[in-house]
Amino acid sequence: MNTTAIELTHLRKAFGPLQALDDVSLTVPEGQIWGLLGHNGAGKTTLMKHLLGLLVPTGGEVRVLGRSPTGSDARALRREVGYLPETVAFYPELTGREILKYFARLKDVAPSQCERMLADVELTDAADRRARTYSNGMRQRLGLAQAMLGHPRLLLLDEPTAGLDPIATQRFYRKVKQLAGEGVSILLSSHILAGVERHVDRVAILGSGKLLAAGTLGELRARVRLPVVIRVRLSGAISEWPAVAGEEGRAAKRIGDGEFEFRVPEQGKLYLLQQLTARDDVVDLSVMPPTLDDVYAHYCGVSEQAPTASAEGAEQ
Amino acid sequence: MSVVRTIAIKEFRDGLRNRWVVAITIVFALLAIGIAYFGPAASGTVGFASLATTVVSLASLAVFLIPLIALMLAYDSIVGERELGTLLLVLSYPISRRQLIVGKFFGHGAIMAVSTVVGFGAAGLLIAGLTRQLANPEFWGAFGLFIVSATLLGLVFVGIAYLISVSVSEKSKAAGIALVVWFGFVIVFDLALLGVLVVTRGAVGDVGRTIFPYLLLLNPTDMFRAANLIGFSTVRSYVGLANSVNGGVLSPVVLIGGLLVWIVVPLWLAVRRFRRQEM
């Protein structure tokens, strides 16, 4: 098992004057879950299409499971890859079961596998309804089912949780984790960051066709040196931070009556916490390490603001 | 090969499901019976007339209808899936683009073939029964040739429909082009040919006569028409077209072969063009 799931070397793709992918080099080892993040139009879908051989690079090289997706054994390679396109569509006049069976035959997979897949995505009850009556979420789930046909070694999921409700999203990530546990490599793209970080091993951030960063969230955090945010609530509706003697004149920002916020570098965190917990007027205290949102915002050049509500939500 | 079969079966089932097969079959059967019965109305009588009249009038109407039906059936087979979004998904599967087009061709071809054979065949049985020709080999020879050539003509235009379908990115555009192509083959080409004929005959005497049969090979609908005319010596006299066929250049074998070439070439071009496309 020495092969890498995905290996891009100086991948370049131009559509006319537009550089859709600009010198992207990325190595994804087998058995990991990667999040491919970026704005709409950052190049996520274009990148996935290269992995499927649907697009031919303008420059550079693409290797998937050690092989070229546009080479002579591309078809054999595609048997080992599962793909969920963004906003997946199906034949409206066919039922869910018929669709899945059709795709199973195209992939030379026993049709008996379909029933288990349908159960897996909880579509058994709707399996005999025409796809035209499906909701977005159901279509997405059918899309996942077809991507998982034939036990692929690599799953490419383009915005897999778009249109899924929170329960279905959780269920989906549980399935992803289970598949990863079985050794499946997974690349999932998303422009919604909240929640993704808990489910992926590593992230790659794309912006305007360039690979801005790649690695574990911890690595990226360390690299960008974003401050840890510490919020403190004091007893009483005080509007100014009452500095205690010996405490360094740290910038405490008032964010509400009796509520203050500190931004400290990672290495200064413990010292400040010791000082804060030593005080007897501190009622409540929370520590927020930089989230994926913050890291992402940093890389995408968005000005650094206080963590947003969604970032807090993701951290709890 | 099983992938091609899977795709073909899906297309054929789609054809059954959306009633294409039934609709085309009924249209063909009604057309054949109607023409056989009302065909001689021009000469003042109604009722089943001679075999030659029946087949010739049938062929001259089918030549308009079959290409139109085949184009309508297949013009959106690739561009429709492209618009829907399923093409992207299908092409991420372990199939080649040639397999996709060939599979679809077998499916749509089967729809055309089954409709033609069942529709015209049933009509033929009825006509033969009513005119007491069930055991007449001449009737079945002529009608058989008609059915075979009609099927081939349908397949030609399914192939042409694919070539249109892979070449454009919008369904509506494909529909428009399909209509223009139909118009060109069944009407404009013949008019142009007639014009050329008139001009060259006036200017260079016999040249038109020797080139003319070969010019027919450029148009599958003319080949179909010719194939169904040359069988009848009685017809040749009053159909101007048959005159040029008389020279012996165009035998049924040549015409059927020509139709086969007209099936393969657009299909091959469609595959070639489709292969080079990025999704």
Side-chain angles (χ1 to χ4, degrees):
Chain A
M1 291 288 276
N2 229 354
T3 53
T4 48
I6 298 167
E7 187 156 21
L8 308 176
T9 32
H10 305 294
L11 173 60
R12 213 180 280 279
K13 181 65 182 179
F15 297 112
L18 174 78
Q19 277 289 333
L21 288 175
D22 193 357
D23 199 21
V24 174
S25 296
L26 179 68
T27 304
V28 174
E30 272 204 282
Q32 294 184 348
I33 310 174
W34 277 66
L36 182 61
L37 310 175
H39 298 310
N40 288 324
K44 306 188 294 285
T45 301
T46 305
L47 194 152
M48 285 201 179
K49 284 182 176 176
H50 277 92
L51 301 176
L52 290 160
L54 296 173
L55 291 174
V56 181
T58 308
E61 208 192 351
V62 180
R63 309 292 284 180
V64 175
L65 299 171
R67 284 166 282 174
S68 162
T70 50
S72 53
D73 64 342
R75 260 199 293 154
L77 172 62
R78 288 206 295 273
R79 186 162 285 127
E80 301 183 60
V81 178
Y83 173 49
L84 171 68
E86 190 180 3
T87 58
V88 64
F90 294 108
Y91 306 104
E93 299 304 323
L94 300 191
T95 68
R97 183 177 279 118
E98 285 170 334
I99 289 166
L100 203 56
K101 283 200 169 153
Y102 176 59
F103 283 119
R105 283 194 204 97
L106 288 188
K107 217 169 185 176
D108 210 7
V109 170
S112 57
Q113 222 187 80
C114 295
E115 295 309 315
R116 219 184 51 242
M117 293 293 163
L118 285 168
D120 252 10
V121 295
E122 289 186 69
L123 279 178
T124 307
D125 291 338
D128 290 320
R129 274 170 50 191
R130 291 188 179 200
R132 132 167 84 196
T133 68
Y134 280 19
S135 67
N136 284 342
M138 290 164 85
R139 229 176 294 138
Q140 200 71 7
R141 268 144 56 200
L142 186 59
L144 287 173
Q146 65 79 26
M148 291 185 296
L149 282 171
H151 306 290
R153 274 168 74 193
L154 171 65
L155 270 177
L156 304 172
L157 309 172
D158 203 351
E159 302 280 352
T161 56
L164 292 188
D165 60 48
I167 305 283
T169 303
Q170 268 187 15
R171 210 170 250 293
F172 161 72
Y173 278 122
R174 212 175 304 147
K175 185 73 196 171
V176 164
K177 197 141 277 179
Q178 181 205 325
L179 288 167
E182 293 165 12
V184 180
S185 319
I186 295 161
L187 179 68
L188 60 94
S189 83
S190 184
H191 69 278
I192 303 160
L193 307 177
V196 169
E197 58 195 289
R198 284 175 302 161
H199 304 289
V200 297
D201 300 322
R202 282 171 176 76
V203 296
I205 300 176
L206 275 181
S208 317
K210 289 192 176 68
L211 186 68
L212 301 175
T216 65
L217 190 55
E219 284 166 9
L220 299 193
R221 249 184 220 145
R223 211 174 302 159
V224 299
R225 297 171 191 281
L226 288 175
V228 178
V229 175
I230 297 174
R231 282 187 181 172
V232 180
R233 192 151 62 83
L234 301 179
S235 55
I238 312 159
S239 59
E240 202 153 319
W241 181 255
V244 174
E247 204 173 82
E248 286 151 62
R250 244 181 241 290
K253 205 174 113 202
R254 196 184 85 97
I255 53 170
D257 274 349
E259 287 182 57
F260 296 87
E261 184 182 282
F262 294 88
R263 294 171 159 265
V264 289
E266 184 72 30
Q267 61 271 28
K269 177 178 73 178
L270 274 181
Y271 178 70
L272 178 63
L273 279 177
Q274 282 165 4
Q275 287 185 322
L276 289 173
T277 46
R279 297 175 63 126
D280 48 13
D281 56 349
V282 171
V283 181
D284 195 11
L285 184 151
S286 61
V287 181
M288 288 168 285
T291 64
L292 182 55
D293 261 333
D294 304 325
V295 173
Y296 178 78
H298 175 89
Y299 275 111
C300 290
V302 179
S303 66
E304 196 52 44
Q305 294 296 317
T308 58
S310 67
E312 282 176 64
E315 202 51 36
Q316 279 146 23
Chain B
M1 218 61 229
S2 82
V3 165
V4 171
R5 213 182 62 199
T6 300
I7 296 166
I9 289 172
K10 180 194 172 285
E11 291 301 329
F12 188 74
R13 278 209 187 126
D14 286 354
L16 288 178
R17 194 187 300 251
N18 57 28
R19 312 263 193 281
W20 264 103
V21 177
V22 176
I24 303 174
T25 305
I26 290 174
V27 166
F28 285 168
L30 288 181
L31 181 76
I33 293 166
I35 281 178
Y37 189 76
F38 293 108
S43 54
T45 54
V46 175
F48 294 108
S50 77
L51 174 64
T53 317
T54 301
V55 169
V56 170
S57 8
L58 202 51
S60 44
L61 255 170
V63 84
F64 288 96
L65 199 60
I66 290 174
L68 190 62
I69 288 177
L71 287 169
M72 276 167 61
L73 176 73
Y75 81 93
D76 70 340
S77 55
I78 297 294
V79 75
E81 286 213 39
R82 202 194 293 270
E83 261 185 20
L84 182 63
T86 47
L87 189 61
L88 189 63
L89 191 55
V90 167
L91 291 182
S92 77
Y93 272 71
I95 66 169
S96 72
R97 299 191 186 186
R98 185 178 38 142
Q99 284 175 319
L100 183 64
I101 289 205
V102 170
K104 277 175 176 283
F105 177 75
F106 282 147
H108 284 137
I111 292 173
M112 285 308 292
V114 167
S115 309
T116 310
V117 171
V118 174
F120 286 132
L125 274 175
L126 187 69
I127 295 164
L130 290 173
T131 54
R132 296 193 170 67
Q133 294 191 83
L134 275 175
N136 180 358
E138 203 203 335
F139 177 89
W140 288 115
F143 219 82
L145 179 65
F146 170 73
I147 289 180
V148 168
S149 56
T151 304
L152 293 180
L153 183 64
L155 298 184
V156 167
F157 279 89
V158 169
I160 292 174
Y162 290 163
L163 183 55
I164 297 169
S165 205
V166 298
S167 306
V168 296
S169 53
E170 285 160 55
K171 233 161 93 167
S172 51
K173 209 177 267 178
I177 294 174
L179 251 144
V180 169
V181 165
W182 175 79
F183 197 71
F185 274 124
V186 302
I187 294 170
V188 177
F189 185 87
D190 287 358
L191 283 181
L193 214 56
L194 210 62
V196 169
L197 213 56
V198 167
V199 170
T200 52
R201 241 183 211 165
V204 283
D206 219 31
V207 173
R209 208 165 250 256
T210 49
I211 295 175
F212 190 66
Y214 297 103
L215 289 179
L216 287 188
L217 292 175
L218 294 177
N219 187 341
T221 64
D222 281 336
M223 279 193 279
F224 166 77
R225 225 188 310 232
N228 285 290
L229 294 185
I230 54 179
F232 303 101
S233 48
T234 47
V235 180
R236 288 183 201 138
S237 52
Y238 58 80
V239 180
L241 182 83
N243 260 333
S244 52
V245 174
N246 227 350
V249 191
L250 302 179
S251 66
V253 177
V254 170
L255 291 168
I256 295 290
L259 284 174
L260 288 174
V261 171
W262 263 99
I263 293 173
V264 173
V265 171
L267 206 56
W268 175 74
L269 287 174
V271 170
R272 217 172 74 124
R273 185 166 276 200
F274 192 34
R275 265 194 183 153
R276 290 178 180 174
Q277 279 170 1
E278 293 191 306
M279 285 299 119

